[in-house]
Amino acid sequence: MTLAEAQIQIAELTENANRFNHLYYQESKSEISDFEFDQLLSKLQELEQQFPTLAQPDSPTLRVGGIVTKSFESVAHQYPMLSLSNTYSEGELLEFDERVRKSIGPQFDFVCELKYDGVAISLIYENGLLVRGITRGDGVRGDDVTANVKTIKSIPLRVNDENLPARFEVRGEIFMPFKEFERINKEREDIGEPLLANPRNACSGTLKMQDSGVVARRKLDCYCYYLLGENLPFTSHSEALHAIKNWNFPVSDAWKTCVEAKEVLKFIEHWEKGRFELPVATDGVVVKINNLSQQEDLGFTAKSPRWAIAYKYKAEAAVTQLLSVSYQVGRTGAVTPVANMEPVQLAGTKVKRASIHNADEIARLDLRIGDFVFVEKGGEIIPKITGVDLSKRTPELEPLVFISACPECGSPLMRIEGEVAYYCPNVYGCPPQIKGRIEHFIQRKAMNIDSLGPETIDQLFQKGLVNTPADLYKLNFEQVSQLDRFAEKSARNVIEGIEKSKQVPFKQVLFGMGIRYVGATVAEKLAGHFGSLENISKASFEQLLEAPEIGEKIAQSIVQFFAEPRNTAYVADLKLANVKLEEEGGQEIESEKLNGLSFVISGVFSQFSRDELQDKIKANGGRLVSGVTGKTNFLVAGENMGPSKLEKAEKLGVKIIDEQAFLDMLA
């Protein structure tokens, strides 16, 4: 393909992909299937790798991340990002109304907007293109997180409008939706990682991650609420909100223009309960003077604008009695204490259980069975005990002591250095751990055996029919049909579902195997890097570290897993069952000339695309690694290669070769 042909194709693919993205995320329309969109995006990525200078600044491939930022540049705000004055009472809100009247007279109106609980962001556009995303920081300077902001699909990378200012700034709140927060925590719990505390903290931590690819997978979202710039053609804040919505910025529909203070109070009252139906955390209402000239007249204090105020909702709390504490054992053996309480109404739902997280939290709260405890919903989503009403404590109540033995199998609990949780070490004999591994194995992202469920697995375990996930493949129709409430059709569905799972791709099998810390994304990286379970099982600790996104903790966990004889037997059973234990369309072997050699590739090549060069290395026995280390054998350098890799290779004495030298090695 010529440069001119590539330029035309890249422009067309970029335009089409951006249009489909807009239809899907802004108008909830799908003109093509997910598969077709992925194919389009894959083609665009391939062309951009071949012709990197032709990649467009609003390319939708930026949405999937892949940029690694070692540090975030501190950037000065053109317009300071001041914080708002807060109030928790109607009286103070009426005082704000009175102060405004004294300053500018009675002729004004308000705009009321929900205050979303996330991370404030400044989005800078020049000639319609997003050029910078900056956090609030200290209000004067913030961190440049542009690469991470570009992964948020609701934020436009390019804005098209006839009357667009040459440079403008849109401010908004980046947040993590409840659904995504729950998904991430479920996945973290599944692989033995500590849970995220709440959506707000999770969002803040995500936005400062160094790898934008990880940020993209966390699916942050944004609501925009303010427009700044020179000589803007708007007289009111409400006009500006309508304008940025027409420019395809994500603007929440939960805002209203109010003529007088009593309308503002009605808005606040309505959303005090209504916000619990929203898919995102909110903590109040922002009240702004609508007219922009009046905003300018009112001006600012040293810390906040005089034309706006934030009404903060008090965290809804309740007092109820702690009746007992039960202890749950998860798949990884982690023991979690759960408070059982007298049912109480909280934030629109009846709450009777709350996680206490760990032994340290029990000690911090000084909990006692029979205490009256304060309960809140953390991030409006997870019930949590925040304290004890000591005025109601009676003398006979004794401090709660965390259990020392597993509540399921009686094994003495242990604590891993550096972790807060207690674990049951009886990995292969503790019933909830055994059943948990099988439940993990059958889930949709793993083997996808939807004809099975926890109750059926419990029956199979109790009857001694399954003890490892691989035992599922030894079941027959007669055994399943004898289970409680199983007719012929449901038994056949189970057997057929198990048989069908043998076609699941290797990366899902690897995830389903339940190796600690190996989530779906890590499993995909390992499968792509090593190609087969056999290669992974034989890889040394150092070789595992050379795979993308594999750190010491994950590498150590993998080494320990395959060193255990019972896991060797488990793998052997999976082989006998004929599930897929290597990547499909496996690499065709051309030679063993590169056996034992590791390669990093960087830049653009004339005779290969990057993918073709990677395949060539693998086909001749070589290994691909993502970064240059002292153990890397060769850096294959193309045009426009990254200077950091070149500098590191020279510093470490790694041999640098060009495309022709690489071909000579294969001659």
Side-chain angles (χ1 to χ4, degrees):
M1 183 182 293
T2 66
L3 199 67
E5 289 170 337
Q7 188 170 17
I8 293 169
Q9 275 210 38
I10 286 173
E12 286 178 354
L13 290 167
T14 300
E15 183 181 351
N16 286 334
N18 281 333
R19 182 169 62 84
F20 292 135
N21 255 334
H22 168 72
L23 286 170
Y24 186 81
Y25 288 99
Q26 302 291 344
E27 300 182 24
S28 300
K29 296 177 183 175
S30 298
E31 287 194 356
I32 61 173
S33 68
D34 288 348
F35 175 76
E36 289 171 316
F37 183 81
D38 288 343
Q39 293 294 100
L40 184 154
L41 203 61
S42 178
K43 177 65 176 173
L44 178 58
Q45 282 179 306
E46 186 181 318
L47 285 172
E48 286 179 346
Q49 284 179 350
Q50 280 186 264
F51 304 94
T53 57
L54 300 181
Q56 308 229 349
D58 63 335
S59 171
T61 59
L62 296 168
R63 301 292 197 189
V64 299
I67 296 172
V68 175
T69 307
K70 292 299 181 186
S71 60
F72 296 95
E73 181 188 358
S74 178
V75 179
H77 291 292
Q78 182 179 357
Y79 308 97
M81 288 187 79
L82 302 179
S83 55
L84 296 174
S85 298
N86 292 330
T87 176
Y88 291 87
S89 73
E90 291 184 6
E92 289 179 352
L93 195 65
L94 293 173
E95 287 174 11
F96 167 73
D97 174 66
E98 189 60 34
R99 285 197 302 274
V100 171
R101 288 178 184 279
K102 285 180 180 177
S103 294
I104 60 173
Q107 301 301 315
F108 63 88
D109 57 0
F110 303 97
V111 169
C112 295
E113 304 163 343
L114 282 182
K115 187 174 182 297
Y116 295 98
D117 198 12
V119 177
I121 196 73
S122 165
L123 305 169
I124 314 295
Y125 287 78
E126 293 178 0
N127 299 317
L129 280 173
L130 174 62
V131 294
R132 257 185 173 160
I134 311 169
T135 62
R136 182 198 299 278
D138 62 4
V140 177
R141 302 184 70 87
D143 290 328
D144 186 336
V145 291
T146 308
N148 290 343
V149 163
K150 285 181 175 180
T151 69
I152 301 172
K153 293 181 179 177
S154 56
I155 294 176
L157 302 177
R158 182 191 292 272
V159 181
N160 295 305
D161 190 87
E162 289 180 5
N163 302 313
L164 209 62
R167 189 183 194 278
F168 63 91
E169 177 179 343
V170 172
R171 289 186 176 170
E173 193 84 0
I174 293 175
F175 57 85
M176 180 176 284
F178 288 147
K179 186 177 178 181
E180 183 62 14
F181 176 74
E182 290 171 332
R183 181 194 69 78
I184 292 169
N185 262 352
K186 185 179 184 306
E187 189 172 282
R188 290 175 73 87
E189 183 179 37
D190 210 24
I191 62 174
E193 291 278 14
L195 302 188
L196 303 175
N198 56 60
R200 196 258 171 228
N201 289 359
C203 174
S204 178
T206 300
L207 204 57
K208 293 297 294 290
M209 284 181 164
Q210 294 181 334
D211 186 345
S212 64
V214 178
V215 179
R217 290 192 290 275
R218 287 199 169 183
K219 299 177 184 174
L220 298 178
D221 208 338
C222 180
Y223 280 140
C224 295
Y225 54 72
Y226 205 66
L227 175 66
L228 290 156
E230 301 299 320
N231 303 314
L232 296 175
F234 309 112
T235 60
S236 69
H237 176 57
S238 55
E239 280 183 65
L241 283 178
H242 285 299
I244 63 175
K245 186 164 187 177
N246 288 336
W247 295 347
N248 295 324
F249 284 91
V251 177
S252 168
D253 292 327
W255 68 274
K256 184 182 180 183
T257 305
C258 298
V259 177
E260 53 188 2
K262 66 180 181 181
E263 283 186 68
V264 173
L265 295 177
K266 280 184 181 178
F267 183 91
I268 289 169
E269 183 183 359
H270 169 77
W271 284 108
E272 187 162 14
K273 299 296 183 188
R275 65 199 177 103
F276 297 119
E277 306 300 318
L278 297 173
V280 57
T282 59
D283 59 359
V285 170
V286 177
V287 182
K288 300 172 184 172
I289 302 305
N290 190 20
N291 185 283
L292 298 179
S293 294
Q294 290 176 330
Q295 285 187 10
E296 195 172 332
D297 291 342
L298 287 163
F300 302 84
T301 69
K303 295 181 179 178
S304 58
R306 291 192 177 94
W307 45 264
I309 194 168
Y311 180 93
K312 298 289 288 287
Y313 291 119
K314 291 174 183 172
E316 189 164 346
V319 178
T320 188
Q321 191 170 24
L322 177 63
L323 303 177
S324 65
V325 171
S326 53
Y327 295 86
Q328 297 177 342
V329 183
R331 174 180 72 86
T332 62
V335 178
T336 304
V338 177
N340 303 301
M341 307 171 296
E342 191 68 40
V344 63
Q345 199 72 19
L346 182 63
T349 58
K350 189 165 280 190
V351 173
K352 59 182 180 180
R353 287 160 65 83
S355 171
I356 320 177
H357 301 300
N358 52 56
D360 290 354
E361 187 69 359
I362 288 176
R364 185 186 72 80
L365 293 166
D366 185 25
L367 284 179
R368 306 176 185 204
I369 304 300
D371 269 338
F372 284 83
V373 294
F374 298 105
V375 185
E376 292 182 9
K377 276 199 170 184
E380 319 301 359
I381 167 175
I382 301 170
K384 63 178 181 180
I385 293 175
T386 57
V388 176
D389 187 346
L390 295 175
S391 67
K392 294 184 178 180
R393 175 175 283 174
T394 52
E396 77 278 5
L397 301 184
E398 295 185 1
L400 181 63
V401 178
F402 199 89
I403 57 174
S404 58
C406 175
E408 299 287 343
C409 70
S411 301
L413 298 182
M414 57 174 283
R415 208 171 195 177
I416 298 172
E417 189 177 348
E419 297 193 20
V420 295
Y422 278 92
Y423 289 88
C424 169
N426 186 15
V427 176
Y428 301 99
C430 185
Q433 294 189 60
I434 295 168
K435 290 185 284 185
R437 284 193 291 274
I438 300 171
E439 288 173 24
H440 173 80
F441 187 77
I442 67 170
Q443 67 169 283
R444 183 180 57 82
K445 288 198 293 185
M447 304 308 287
N448 195 24
I449 309 175
D450 58 8
S451 51
L452 282 171
E455 290 183 5
T456 305
I457 289 169
D458 183 57
Q459 281 197 67
L460 291 168
F461 174 75
Q462 297 298 340
K463 290 179 180 292
L465 295 172
V466 295
N467 203 58
T468 75
D471 290 339
L472 293 172
Y473 297 100
K474 301 173 186 177
L475 294 172
N476 58 46
F477 172 77
E478 286 71 25
Q479 290 170 322
V480 177
S481 62
Q482 289 172 16
L483 299 176
D484 294 344
R485 298 187 299 278
F486 265 77
E488 180 179 339
K489 184 178 179 182
S490 53
R492 291 207 182 281
N493 285 342
V494 168
I495 297 300
E496 287 171 8
I498 292 170
E499 187 63 29
K500 187 179 176 183
S501 73
K502 294 178 182 180
Q503 303 308 312
V504 161
F506 167 49
K507 63 182 180 182
Q508 290 180 229
V509 180
L510 181 59
F511 169 61
M513 287 176 64
I515 304 171
R516 195 169 188 211
Y517 306 128
V518 177
T521 301
V522 170
E524 184 175 359
K525 298 291 184 185
L526 286 167
H529 185 81
F530 290 102
S532 71
L533 188 65
E534 184 175 3
N535 290 343
I536 296 171
S537 68
K538 291 178 179 177
S540 66
F541 177 78
E542 290 75 17
Q543 289 169 334
L544 287 164
L545 288 177
E546 291 176 344
E549 296 187 26
I550 306 302
E552 292 187 2
K553 185 168 69 171
I554 298 172
Q556 189 60 48
S557 176
I558 294 168
V559 169
Q560 289 173 349
F561 181 89
F562 288 108
E564 167 58 51
R566 280 169 286 202
N567 289 331
T568 306
Y570 171 30
V571 170
D573 285 343
L574 288 176
K575 285 181 181 176
L576 284 173
N578 289 321
V579 298
K580 294 187 183 299
L581 298 181
E582 59 182 32
E583 289 283 79
E584 290 220 292
Q587 189 72 50
E588 184 180 340
I589 303 301
E590 295 178 4
S591 79
E592 296 182 353
K593 291 181 178 179
L594 306 180
N595 270 8
L597 300 177
S598 60
F599 294 79
V600 171
I601 62 174
S602 182
V604 184
F605 303 91
S606 59
Q607 299 183 54
F608 298 100
S609 69
R610 287 174 65 89
D611 287 343
E612 288 169 344
L613 184 55
Q614 288 174 2
D615 289 343
K616 200 74 175 172
I617 291 169
K618 291 177 185 175
N620 288 276
R623 286 198 333 274
L624 280 159
V625 293
S626 56
V628 177
T629 70
K631 295 183 179 180
T632 305
N633 297 111
F634 294 96
L635 169 63
V636 187
E639 292 182 25
N640 303 319
M641 72 169 294
S644 61
K645 283 184 179 174
L646 181 62
E647 183 182 332
K648 194 168 185 182
E650 289 172 341
K651 184 179 177 182
L652 296 172
V654 174
K655 190 166 183 180
I656 301 165
I657 59 173
D658 61 15
E659 189 174 15
Q660 189 55 52
F662 170 75
L663 289 171
D664 290 344
M665 292 175 70
L666 302 178

